Amino acid sequence: MTDWPLTLMAVHAHPDDEATSTGGVLAQYAAEGIRTVLVTCTDGGCGDGPGGAKPGDPGHDPAAVALMRRQELQASCDALKISDLEMLDYADSGMMGWPSNDAPGSFWQTPVEEGAARLAELMEHYRPDVVVTYDENGFYGHPDHIQANRITTAALKMTDLTPKVYWTTMPHSAMQRFGELMREFGDMPEPDPAELAALAEIGLPDDKITTWVDTTEFSGQKFDSLAAHASQGENIFFLKMGKERFGELMGMETFVRVQDTTGAAIPENDLFAGLR
């Protein structure tokens, strides 16, 4: 027996990332009495400003955007009943190829060992039984997501901890349905075939996914979590669906298990399988 509670640590790149891929498990496990720790690596300063202003546009103030997103993040954590929020506060690097990738102090420019050392301290403090982050490509190639994977992998090697480790992903079947719903709710023109092909390549074939967690019961909290980040234009698509349709699409959260010492059989439907 241990003298600390079962703990889930999710390592995410930006404010709002916690909502889309892990909002359900964060809410579900919090409701089960498991400690939920969210580590957000960047300040989100490259997000949308007032009126949808993008970085470099008039009226886009990265410091003001970061402050606004910090407040939204706290509201999201409240919606999901997250136990502990830790922010590393690196500068948002922006999308791959943006000039902000090269900015001093950006997360992408931070030495992996530096970020990993800070994360390792948090891991030693919270002693997570389960750690969740992105795959090596950051799910879709975002530099801060890739960096989150790198520092998480390195941090684990700096500790004596042996948690179950998962990477977020999406099954190809869900990505296909997602594309259909984007056209239904987004008032979008017929998409370019190359864009559809690229979307179909995101995620994994269904039979490669190790862990399917049905969080539909908590999809209302997940919706509220995403709604807390309403300043970000990319979230509006999800919010247009309403809670019921959102739950239908986003109720199942899927992962690939990449580290395990429990021997729990896969496929599994619980990140804590073998731990309780």
Side-chain angles (χ1 to χ4, degrees):
M1 297 293 292
T2 61
D3 59 358
W4 55 81
L6 282 174
T7 300
L8 165 65
M9 176 179 281
V11 182
H12 280 292
H14 312 97
D16 82 355
D17 288 333
E18 79 287 344
T20 48
S21 60
T22 59
V25 291
L26 286 165
Q28 175 173 315
Y29 290 126
E32 293 177 9
I34 289 171
R35 180 169 60 181
T36 51
V37 181
L38 171 62
V39 180
T40 302
C41 296
T42 79
D43 61 9
C46 285
D48 292 351
K54 304 293 183 183
D57 289 349
H60 188 281
D61 177 353
V65 171
L67 177 60
M68 173 182 65
R69 299 196 72 184
R70 174 66 178 82
Q71 295 167 343
E72 291 179 335
L73 179 60
Q74 185 58 61
S76 170
C77 289
D78 292 344
L80 299 175
K81 309 299 184 188
I82 288 172
S83 309
D84 299 272
L85 170 63
E86 299 283 355
M87 298 192 70
L88 300 185
D89 267 335
Y90 290 109
D92 189 343
S93 309
M95 299 296 286
M96 190 67 80
W98 286 13
S100 48
N101 293 175
D102 300 321
S106 71
F107 191 37
W108 188 237
Q109 290 299 316
T110 299
V112 170
E113 296 75 13
E114 176 190 322
R118 294 181 61 196
L119 182 57
E121 286 186 14
L122 294 175
M123 289 179 172
E124 293 284 10
H125 174 71
Y126 289 107
R127 305 193 68 81
D129 302 279
V130 172
V131 173
V132 176
T133 192
Y134 316 100
D135 63 23
E136 293 161 312
N137 189 46
F139 185 56
Y140 67 99
H142 194 296
D144 288 332
H145 291 222
I146 294 170
Q147 190 77 327
N149 168 279
R150 291 174 177 173
I151 73 163
T152 302
T153 301
L156 286 165
K157 293 177 181 178
M158 295 177 178
T159 75
D160 61 353
L161 303 173
T162 57
K164 296 179 79 177
V165 179
Y166 293 90
W167 293 343
T168 59
T169 191
M170 287 281 282
H172 282 170
S173 59
M175 293 305 300
Q176 180 179 356
R177 188 173 176 216
F178 180 71
E180 294 166 356
L181 283 172
M182 284 182 69
R183 294 192 293 277
E184 178 182 345
F185 286 95
D187 299 322
M188 298 172 66
E190 191 64 27
D192 183 274
E195 291 179 358
L196 280 180
L199 188 64
E201 290 301 312
I202 295 176
L204 289 172
D206 291 37
D207 61 0
K208 299 296 184 183
I209 292 172
T210 65
T211 310
W212 304 69
V213 185
D214 186 353
T215 65
T216 305
E217 181 181 350
F218 300 90
S219 60
Q221 284 175 253
K222 181 173 178 175
F223 182 93
D224 291 342
S225 167
L226 198 61
H229 298 286
S231 71
Q232 302 308 300
E234 65 267 22
N235 297 330
I236 302 303
F237 161 70
F238 292 103
L239 301 178
K240 280 184 178 180
M241 295 181 188
K243 285 189 176 181
E244 183 176 351
R245 292 298 299 276
F246 179 83
E248 292 173 7
L249 177 67
M250 304 293 287
M252 182 70 73
E253 294 186 347
T254 49
F255 307 86
V256 174
R257 193 173 80 189
V258 294
Q259 177 175 301
D260 173 62
T261 59
T262 69
I266 53 175
E268 60 187 359
N269 60 8
D270 178 11
L271 299 180
F272 288 85
L275 292 170
R276 53 179 177 171

